[in-house]
Amino acid sequence: MKTAAIAQRYLDFFEKNDHVIVPSASLVSDDPTVMFNIAGMVPFIPYLTGVVPAPHPRIADVQKCIRTNDIEEVGKTARHGTFFQMLGNWSFGDYFKEQAIRYAWELLTSSESDGGFAFDEKDLWVTIYETDDEAESIWRDTIGLKPERIQRLGRADNYWHTGQPGPGGPDSEIFFDRGPAYGKDGGPAVDDSRFMEIWNLVFMQDFIQNVQSGTEFDIVGELPSKNIDTGMGLERVAFLKQGVENMYETDQVRPVLDRAVELSGRRYGAVHEDDVRFRVIADHVRSSLMLLSDGVRPSNEGRGYILRRLMRRSVRAMRLLGVDEPVFPALFEASRDAMKESYPVLEKDWAVLSGAAFAEEETFRRTLAQGSTILDLALNETKKGGGSTLSGSEAFLLHDTYGFPIDLTLEVAEEAGLQVDRGSFDTLMQEQRQRAKADAKGRKRQLADVSVYREFRAHGETGFAGYSDLQTESRVLGIIIDGHPVQTASEGDVAEVILAETTLYAESGGQVADKGAIIGAGFELDVLDVQRPVAGLISHTVHVASGSVAVDDRATTVVDAANRRAAKQAHSATHLVHAALRDTLGQTATQAGSLNRAGYMRFDFAWSQPLSTDTRSEIEDIVGRAVNDALEVTTRIVSLDEAKEAGAMALFGEKYGNVVRMVDIGGPWSRELCAGTHVSTSSEIGLVSLVGESSIGASNRRIEALVGQEAFRELAAERTIVSQLTAALKTPRDQLAARIDELTANLKAAEKRVAQFEAKEREGRVPALVEAAQQVGAYRVATADLGAVGSADDVRTLALSVRERLGTDAAVVAFGGVASGRPIVVVATNDAARAEGAKAGALVRIAAGVLGGGGGGKDDVAQGGGTDASALNTALTAVVSELQGA
């Protein structure tokens, strides 16, 4: 049974049993404290906690999930994967324990011809919470499961909660016995490798407080409305139904593994280490493709870092399998074909997704080439110094700064006959993790506690009247200070204010929040921010400028009209730029994010090459024509399917409901799903001036533009500068660029002549400096304070010239100078001096210490500096003294 068929069979069963089927939420979590949806229940937490009313009493879905906390276990076990799919059925105040257990048992044990999965009852075991007599009774007396196959476990195994005060409850897990070949008998309490968990039924019935950990909390009462939250692992059911050994060999994953086998020429099942690598590749490529499809792009932080790590681990594993050429074109294509039946968007958006993947591989290949060069130098230095072990600090530098994997460092070092100080490397890695934990100390690691908004959300959605009005009268539903509901807020307080209706736009879709005020009888509130903490609720962060505001007060929201007008211009300009980009570059130049505020817009899009000056001008020209044509801007509320049929553009990774707002500018010329505020006609946008275009990653570019009055001010400032230049250079405006090029060329030529003169002058000083060298112990030592110099390179060049003239006897050169007011010292030694023990790096550190600074370098030449230029002669004398004592 194919994985897609298993999922469909699950949904069909629950649809037949009066559940509304909903699509998977994005992998990108709405919760600000977690990056991804790490479990099937995460998107439903607002409904499970009662903060947001559930749209239906019964729901079923297949939820995409990403979990990377066990990334090092991927490929080593049968069940660890970074991307997985959870089959879930949900009851919000409807059916409870008995019906949830009946549904699970019926679906698992019914024949395939009756729509079930045909698991043999004798192979199924269950666990229940240690005090849940009701669940045991249902399993034993209603289902007929033998008592010896029902096991009671404690909180660590069979109790679920969010990690916050609020709802929780016992659960019952269903396990499949894989047989004696996979471990010892005795049920899941004895061996969870042989007994594989396939379904978890959570009975959300308790209210908990004083949560200290997963097992430390107090159950303080029952919930007034009980919920069912279940999850069945699709990949686990798939590999059991398909008769394979693990999830990597199922139909949605195995094709990538097979392609990796083909590329490497090695056999799967022959060598354990190779098998682990094949499975890592199969898992990580699929996870990467799914993350890309939900709008995540490789980067060095946040979600992008997780994606980059998965992709680079795949490349690394292929390299360890002996494949050095690009592999993503073959591997990602195999994953697309395996997953497209379940996720058709992978084929539809293939050009964009593959472009991002291939660009990241090329970037990493360049990183590997650079890292290999640096590693080779480090290995040669280690060998030259007679060492047999590369230091952990050098291995960490390669990993941390250049992204060079430690596995490759170990491999290359072994080929060179050297070891790596892995213990030191691991210590440095642990220190880095501890620093990262310290940086994140203030962030919650559990799901965000939004229960404070439950009471306010129960009044219904916040009405937004801001599309048509700038003011509206409303009522204060709630006030929150420091995360706690209060009845009043007084002058000087900063608080959140929840209103029944508002005209103030909450930040979303790239558009920043409105500026404005909330006023009422006896109070005035300055609006600092407007956000949507939970779906359907708008919260205003305010500073109480005067008076006191209380719950149930009447209040009027007042939008800053000038700021709103400029923000609308910027947001509509973003739509024009998007349309112009697609006209110019093609349909693959899709939006990857935006920011709109008064007078400014930023637009990120999928593209891997810099835009030429001509292309930028063409985009500006298209936008200018659209503004000049006064295109009508219209909005319509339609179903998501209608919007898609009409060709509306949607932002990658953005969540949309079944009913959406579609914004047209000039009809189909620009048609996007958007909840932002917009002008009535494109002519209201005014001037749009592109001021920047840059890279924000291997496959993404960013355009920045000024809009309206801000664009006019920028161009006026540039006109003033041009006028000043034409006057100063006595050159007509149309000849200004040529005149500046001429002056620049003349300046470069003059600088070159000056540099040649200075080099000749320096070379002329060499004989005198050589002549002045003195014998100091075993060394011939040349020292000099060169006075003012152009740069440290001048001192270094002169020191190396003098060292060469001093011949083959042990010689040390220590020169100093002052560049831009700061002292510089350079020490150079020849082979004979180093054989006597004189090391340039050690000597320069002595001199730099006298100057109040530091320095370093290799044994043959080193450089340092400091802050006290008056101590330069003393610093050089310190070098001589060190050599005298040697």
Side-chain angles (χ1 to χ4, degrees):
M1 190 181 294
K2 293 178 66 177
T3 303
I6 293 171
Q8 191 58 53
R9 183 171 291 241
Y10 180 92
L11 296 177
D12 289 345
F13 174 85
F14 282 101
E15 186 173 33
K16 182 180 68 176
N17 285 285
D18 302 322
H19 289 65
V20 173
I21 308 303
V22 299
S24 173
S26 168
L27 286 168
V28 177
S29 175
D30 286 341
D31 190 306
T33 64
V34 293
M35 288 190 290
F36 301 116
N37 283 318
I38 57 175
M41 59 82 184
V42 174
F44 293 95
I45 284 181
Y47 309 145
L48 295 170
T49 57
V51 174
V52 178
H56 311 285
R58 298 182 176 202
I59 285 175
D61 73 329
V62 181
Q63 175 59 44
K64 301 177 289 185
C65 304
I66 282 281
R67 192 180 298 169
T68 58
N69 54 326
D70 293 327
I71 194 170
E72 299 298 335
E73 297 304 312
V74 172
K76 299 176 183 177
T77 72
R79 62 185 186 273
H80 279 100
T82 52
F83 173 83
F84 58 98
Q85 300 160 90
M86 289 300 294
L87 304 164
N89 60 284
W90 315 82
S91 166
F92 304 106
D94 191 10
Y95 63 83
F96 199 51
K97 281 186 189 178
E98 181 173 338
Q99 192 61 55
I101 291 173
R102 284 179 179 273
Y103 282 147
W105 193 253
E106 179 184 349
L107 180 57
L108 285 174
T109 60
S110 294
S111 67
E112 291 187 8
S113 60
D114 289 332
F117 291 124
F119 282 104
D120 194 321
E121 294 184 17
K122 68 178 177 60
D123 294 327
L124 299 177
W125 290 61
V126 300
T127 61
I128 60 173
Y129 184 51
E130 54 192 357
T131 63
D132 196 348
D133 296 336
E134 181 185 5
E136 181 179 31
S137 174
I138 295 168
W139 280 116
R140 185 188 64 236
D141 301 332
T142 304
I143 300 301
L145 193 63
K146 292 181 179 180
E148 59 266 27
R149 283 195 278 128
I150 305 170
Q151 297 183 324
R152 293 182 182 242
L153 296 175
R155 287 184 172 184
D157 297 293
N158 281 86
Y159 197 95
W160 178 91
H161 59 88
T162 67
Q164 298 285 350
D171 63 46
S172 180
E173 297 178 348
I174 305 173
F175 291 79
F176 176 81
D177 181 2
R178 303 178 71 197
Y182 295 93
K184 54 189 176 182
D185 203 355
V190 174
D191 189 339
D192 66 355
S193 294
R194 169 174 171 172
F195 297 87
M196 176 73 68
E197 179 202 338
I198 55 176
W199 204 335
N200 185 15
L201 314 175
V202 177
F203 313 125
M204 199 175 299
Q205 63 189 43
D206 302 326
F207 187 82
I208 66 171
Q209 288 184 340
N210 304 321
V211 181
Q212 304 299 316
S213 69
T215 58
E216 297 175 277
F217 54 86
D218 296 330
I219 301 174
V220 297
E222 287 194 353
L223 294 173
S225 177
K226 298 177 181 180
N227 301 321
I228 287 294
D229 154 15
T230 81
M232 182 162 71
L234 178 55
E235 279 75 15
R236 295 188 183 189
V237 176
F239 84 71
L240 293 174
K241 292 299 295 178
Q242 292 173 18
V244 295
E245 288 297 308
N246 51 61
M247 62 169 287
Y248 313 104
E249 297 176 15
T250 60
D251 63 300
Q252 286 191 343
V253 188
R254 182 63 188 251
V256 184
L257 189 153
D258 289 340
R259 196 74 180 92
V261 167
E262 181 183 336
L263 292 171
S264 69
R266 302 191 187 187
R267 186 168 65 85
Y268 181 60
V271 179
H272 173 71
E273 289 78 8
D274 286 354
D275 289 351
V276 170
R277 289 166 188 151
F278 283 129
R279 293 193 286 261
V280 165
I281 292 160
D283 171 84
H284 286 10
V285 166
R286 181 171 76 143
S287 298
S288 299
L289 178 60
M290 298 308 297
L291 282 168
L292 287 167
S293 74
D294 274 343
V296 183
R297 292 295 179 266
S299 70
N300 289 327
E301 58 187 12
R303 299 181 181 95
Y305 174 75
I306 298 297
L307 173 58
R308 173 161 282 171
R309 187 181 182 203
L310 291 170
M311 297 175 84
R312 292 188 171 191
R313 278 172 61 91
S314 304
V315 174
R316 179 191 69 189
M318 287 299 296
R319 181 182 172 111
L320 293 173
L321 288 167
V323 183
D324 290 335
E325 62 268 16
V327 294
F328 279 3
L331 297 177
F332 272 81
E333 184 179 88
S335 188
R336 176 203 66 192
D337 291 345
M339 296 295 292
K340 67 184 182 183
E341 182 178 355
S342 295
Y343 303 98
V345 70
L346 299 177
E347 189 162 46
K348 175 178 175 289
D349 295 329
W350 175 244
V352 175
L353 305 181
S354 60
F358 302 165
E360 176 61 20
E361 181 177 24
E362 181 56 33
T363 297
F364 188 43
R365 285 172 59 80
R366 290 195 298 268
T367 294
L368 289 176
Q370 182 183 21
S372 296
T373 301
I374 296 168
L375 176 58
D376 289 343
L377 290 172
L379 293 172
N380 288 336
E381 287 295 323
T382 302
K383 280 185 172 181
K384 193 182 294 183
S388 61
T389 303
L390 183 72
S391 72
S393 60
E394 288 180 291
F396 180 75
L397 175 70
L398 281 161
H399 167 84
D400 193 49
T401 304
Y402 299 100
F404 199 81
I406 182 62
D407 287 358
L408 286 186
T409 299
L410 293 168
E411 178 191 11
V412 175
E414 184 179 359
E415 290 173 355
L418 298 176
Q419 296 179 323
V420 177
D421 186 349
R422 185 62 189 265
S424 175
F425 172 86
D426 290 340
T427 299
L428 291 168
M429 283 294 295
Q430 184 61 31
E431 290 174 356
Q432 185 193 56
R433 293 189 188 104
Q434 289 171 350
R435 286 194 297 272
K437 287 181 180 179
D439 290 342
K441 190 175 182 181
R443 303 175 188 170
K444 293 181 180 177
R445 291 173 178 79
Q446 297 165 325
L447 299 166
D449 182 10
V450 294
S451 59
V452 68
Y453 301 106
R454 183 187 297 114
E455 177 186 345
F456 312 129
R457 183 62 179 80
H459 291 283
E461 295 191 8
T462 307
F464 180 66
Y467 291 131
S468 57
D469 300 310
L470 296 180
Q471 293 187 25
T472 192
E473 187 176 338
S474 187
R475 181 170 67 89
V476 177
L477 297 180
I479 302 171
I480 301 170
I481 296 181
D482 295 331
H484 301 286
V486 296
Q487 288 300 304
T488 62
S490 302
E491 186 171 330
D493 286 342
V494 173
E496 287 185 69
V497 172
I498 313 296
L499 302 173
E501 189 173 26
T502 184
T503 53
L504 290 152
Y505 183 80
E507 179 179 2
S508 65
Q511 183 174 334
V512 301
D514 272 335
K515 294 180 179 179
I518 301 172
I519 57 176
F523 65 85
E524 183 170 348
L525 317 177
D526 293 332
V527 176
L528 307 178
D529 194 13
V530 191
Q531 295 291 333
R532 296 179 184 268
V534 297
L537 190 75
I538 295 177
S539 171
H540 310 77
T541 301
V542 303
H543 172 258
V544 183
S546 63
S548 178
V549 60
V551 174
D552 285 330
D553 279 352
R554 302 303 299 179
T556 299
T557 60
V558 181
V559 176
D560 181 324
N563 183 77
R564 166 69 78 81
R565 186 184 311 112
K568 290 197 300 183
Q569 290 174 315
H571 202 156
S572 297
T574 303
H575 285 221
L576 296 189
V577 169
H578 191 189
L581 274 166
R582 290 167 66 79
D583 270 2
T584 307
L585 303 178
Q587 300 303 298
T588 58
T590 53
Q591 183 173 355
S594 65
L595 175 67
N596 315 289
R597 62 170 183 260
Y600 171 85
M601 59 141 287
R602 187 182 76 201
F603 185 85
D604 302 338
F605 60 101
W607 200 252
S608 57
Q609 300 295 325
L611 302 186
S612 67
T613 302
D614 287 345
T615 300
R616 289 177 57 176
S617 296
E618 185 179 356
I619 292 167
E620 233 173 9
D621 186 54
I622 293 171
V623 171
R625 290 201 304 271
V627 170
N628 190 61
D629 290 344
L631 303 176
E632 184 181 10
V633 180
T634 60
T635 61
R636 285 181 283 162
I637 304 299
V638 298
S639 71
L640 183 59
D641 288 340
E642 284 181 86
K644 288 180 177 177
E645 286 177 14
M649 290 295 299
L651 179 62
F652 256 154
E654 191 80 3
K655 284 186 66 176
Y656 298 98
N658 291 327
V659 177
V660 295
R661 183 170 181 260
M662 187 166 70
V663 177
D664 289 357
I665 303 179
W669 184 72
S670 170
R671 178 168 287 164
E672 300 192 30
L673 303 185
C674 181
T677 61
H678 289 275
V679 297
S680 299
T681 66
S682 60
S683 60
E684 295 176 36
I685 296 172
L687 192 61
V688 180
S689 175
L690 270 58
V691 294
E693 191 272 333
S694 59
S695 169
I696 54 168
S699 57
N700 283 314
R701 307 292 297 179
R702 170 172 291 168
I703 279 182
E704 296 177 272
L706 296 177
V707 183
Q709 194 65 23
E710 288 300 317
F712 176 79
R713 290 192 186 100
E714 175 72 11
L715 292 177
E718 289 183 2
R719 183 179 61 185
T720 301
I721 293 171
V722 170
S723 296
Q724 291 171 343
L725 288 171
T726 56
L729 299 178
K730 297 181 175 58
T731 304
R733 178 175 173 174
D734 59 349
Q735 298 176 22
L736 195 57
R739 178 62 175 148
I740 291 174
D741 286 344
E742 180 186 356
L743 290 173
T744 302
N746 290 341
L747 179 60
K748 287 181 178 179
E751 288 173 344
K752 184 176 181 180
R753 289 194 296 271
V754 169
Q756 290 171 341
F757 174 79
E758 290 176 344
K760 187 175 182 180
E761 190 273 337
R762 283 197 306 270
E763 194 64 27
R765 299 179 66 179
V766 170
L769 292 168
V770 171
E771 186 66 27
Q774 298 179 345
Q775 194 68 29
V776 178
Y779 308 99
R780 193 171 177 203
V781 181
T783 63
D785 178 354
L786 303 175
V789 295
S791 68
D793 286 342
D794 295 341
V795 182
R796 188 185 188 92
T797 300
L798 199 56
L800 295 177
S801 295
V802 171
R803 182 184 67 177
E804 185 178 351
R805 296 285 189 91
L806 287 173
T808 58
D809 292 339
V812 177
V813 179
F815 288 170
V818 179
S820 302
R822 296 183 66 86
I824 296 163
V825 64
V826 173
V827 176
T829 62
N830 63 9
D831 290 341
R834 292 192 293 278
E836 292 287 346
K839 310 294 186 184
L843 294 171
V844 88
R845 280 191 287 272
I846 293 171
V850 176
L851 298 174
K858 297 182 179 180
D859 291 344
D860 61 335
V861 60
Q863 178 182 313
T867 57
D868 187 2
S870 66
L872 199 49
N873 280 317
T874 306
L876 297 175
T877 300
V879 173
V880 174
S881 297
E882 178 68 17
L883 292 171
Q884 284 176 329

